[in-house]
Amino acid sequence: MKQKKTRIRGRLLKAFAAVLFFSSLLTATIFNLAIRLFAVQGEVNLRAYQNMYGETSGVIGRIGIISVVLISVMFLVAIVVTYFLANSLTRPIEKLGEFALNIGKGDFSPNDFQFREVELEDLNTALNKSVKQLGEYDSEQKAFFQNASHELRTPLMSIKCYAEGISFGIMEPKAASETILQETDNLADLVTDLLYISKIDNITIAYQLAETDLKELIRDCATRQEAVAAKRQIHLSFDFDERPIRYVCVSELLSRAIDNLISNAIRYAKSDITLSCHQKTDHIEICVTDDGAGIDPGLLPHIFERFTKGAGGNHGIGLSIVKTIVEQRGGAIAAENRVEGGAAFIISLPESGGGK
């Protein structure tokens, strides 16, 4: 059965109002009795007053005793009410405190507490949401370190094997050293990506936002990779709006995202890559398309997950970096296979994030 929710402040006010009401009633009763007594005394003469002095004193004494008894009873009632009210408030707080301590010990199991007080129920809901997020983050971090360890171990083992081959004279030194150099480069790239992931995941880092022309930013990214594209005989083309597309962002991060998409497209394209940027009604759309074989349909739903690699992939980190950067700006990224062949990666950035 669902309990009715109340507010702590309301309960305290009700208790205080009840005590105040009964105290006022008691005071009014005593005051009324005193008024009547003095009224009676005013109507009698001095002799009658003197004759009645003993009886009046007895009445006043009894009234005093009654007043003391009533005040004592009200005091005891106030103590009892305060005691039960304090228990009703402190017990759920103690439960939430114990729950918070368990979170600190690494127990991310949600609780099923139910409270009548709205404030405590809201606090419990917030704690359960935090526990869920912390549990997901903890699982992601464990999986991340396991995958990172595996990715680091692979080039290290290869380097060790070829180095031992040279040492024991069973491998031709020049060919083995070229493989070692290649694996060393792969290892350096992997470490760089891992450090970059740590950097963009760290919410305490302050980045400088600035208005940027996205067309120029994309052209600069393409220029940096023209030599690699030319080596593979891949042509980079552009499809932009005529006017500048101004957007407020961290140019360093967005450039890294575009660089990763272009690098990924170069790895799979046959001969052509198209970079487009258009101002839509309520968002800005950036698209990187290639004319390669496309994305394996089974891999498509997981393409932005860390350490997910397609055929010929490198470390499986680049696209996950793109996703993190885009989502930090409130945007979204999607991947799809084109009908005419090849893959397309579409970034949607919110209009509110950029300048007019």
Side-chain angles (χ1 to χ4, degrees), residues 141-257:
Q141 288 300 304
K142 289 178 180 177
F144 173 78
F145 285 116
Q146 289 174 355
N147 291 327
S149 299
H150 174 75
E151 292 295 329
L152 288 169
R153 188 182 298 112
T154 301
L156 287 174
M157 291 300 297
S158 179
I159 291 171
K160 181 179 179 181
C161 289
Y162 279 92
E164 288 178 346
I166 295 174
S167 177
F168 291 112
I170 60 176
M171 290 186 180
E172 198 277 318
K174 181 174 176 58
S177 61
E178 289 178 354
T179 301
I180 290 175
L181 290 173
Q182 183 179 355
E183 291 296 335
T184 302
D185 289 339
N186 291 336
L187 185 61
D189 292 340
L190 176 58
V191 171
T192 300
D193 284 342
L194 292 175
L195 292 174
Y196 200 84
I197 286 177
S198 175
K199 180 180 179 181
I200 62 177
D201 281 349
N202 188 351
I203 60 174
T204 63
I205 294 178
Y207 291 106
Q208 184 65 42
L209 294 172
E211 189 177 68
T212 303
D213 183 356
L214 293 182
K215 291 168 56 178
E216 293 302 318
L217 184 145
I218 295 172
R219 286 186 186 278
D220 290 342
C221 293
T223 299
R224 286 194 291 270
Q225 303 204 48
E226 276 184 343
V228 179
K231 184 177 181 180
R232 299 195 178 194
Q233 297 182 341
I234 296 173
H235 177 256
L236 299 176
S237 58
F238 303 96
D239 177 18
F240 294 152
D241 288 345
E242 292 185 3
R243 65 183 182 85
I245 301 178
R246 312 298 299 182
Y247 191 73
V248 176
C249 63
V250 181
S251 58
E252 172 195 346
L253 296 181
L254 194 55
S255 294
R256 179 60 185 264

Side-chain angles (χ1 to χ4, degrees), residues 218 222 236-240 258 262 273-277 287-289:
I218 295 172
L236 299 176
S237 58
F238 303 96
D239 177 18
F240 294 152
I258 303 301
I262 296 174
I273 294 173
T274 301
L275 308 175
S276 65
C277 183
C287 187
V288 178
T289 61

Side-chain angles (χ1 to χ4, degrees), residues 2 10 24 40 71 77 100 105 148 168 172 185 190-191 292 337 348:
K2 189 175 181 180
S24 300
V40 171
I71 292 173
V77 170
K105 295 176 182 177
F168 291 112
E172 198 277 318
D185 289 339
L190 176 58
V191 171
N337 287 317
S348 296

Side-chain angles (χ1 to χ4, degrees), residues 278-342:
H278 298 286
Q279 177 76 61
K280 303 293 184 178
T281 304
D282 58 351
H283 69 281
I284 297 171
E285 184 176 283
I286 300 172
C287 187
V288 178
T289 61
D290 64 68
D291 61 350
I295 305 169
D296 182 350
L299 186 66
L300 195 56
H302 311 285
I303 194 69
F304 295 108
E305 296 177 5
R306 290 176 182 176
F307 300 103
T308 297
K309 295 187 293 185
N314 197 3
H315 306 300
I317 299 179
L319 292 179
S320 69
I321 290 177
V322 177
K323 183 175 184 290
T324 300
I325 292 172
V326 171
E327 290 182 348
Q328 283 183 347
R329 291 300 300 150
I333 184 169
E336 61 183 32
N337 287 317
R338 304 165 63 208
V339 176
E340 58 270 39

